[in-house]
């Protein structure tokens, strides 16, 4: 029961981040800190989909950090790092149609 609540909170938090990036930050030209901000800069300068660029950045950083972090610690970062760009892509896809 506790794990299901944890995963539900994780999913809702990632969904909230994805929705805020797609509906609030990107349309208004606001750039945040972190990898989401880097993906926003890539979107505004090159035109690459921010969900795809965030996914690529997160995968590269997860691979880099896998050399230095314990596997238990890396498991905690794996789900949100991959879930946010996937949800961004899904939310963006739903808004087009």
């Amino acid at each position: 029961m506790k794990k299901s609540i944890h995963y539900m909170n994780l999913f809702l938090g990632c969904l909230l981040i994805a929705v805020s990036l797609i509906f609030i930050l990107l349309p208004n030209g606001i750039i945040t800190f972190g990898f989401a901000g880097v993906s926003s800069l890539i979107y505004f300068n090159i035109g690459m989909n921010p969900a795809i660029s965030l996914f690529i950045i997160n995968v590269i950083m997860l691979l880099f950090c896998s050399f230095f972090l314990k596997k238990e610690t890396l498991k905690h970062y794996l789900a949100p790092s991959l879930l946010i760009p996937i949800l961004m892509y899904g939310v963006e896809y739903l808004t087009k149609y």
Side-chain angles (χ1 to χ4, degrees), residues 25-76:
L25 298 177
L26 289 176
N28 293 315
I30 301 172
I31 298 185
T32 62
F33 292 103
F35 297 137
V38 173
S39 69
S40 298
L41 282 173
I42 292 171
Y43 170 70
F44 290 128
N45 289 325
I46 299 174
M48 184 178 183
N49 190 334
I52 294 173
S53 62
L54 184 61
F55 185 80
I56 291 170
I57 292 169
N58 283 343
V59 167
I60 291 170
M61 290 308 295
L62 282 171
L63 290 174
F64 178 72
C65 291
S66 66
F67 295 116
F68 303 106
L69 294 175
K70 296 178 185 177
K71 289 186 180 186
E72 295 174 12
T73 307
L74 196 61
K75 283 196 297 188
H76 292 294

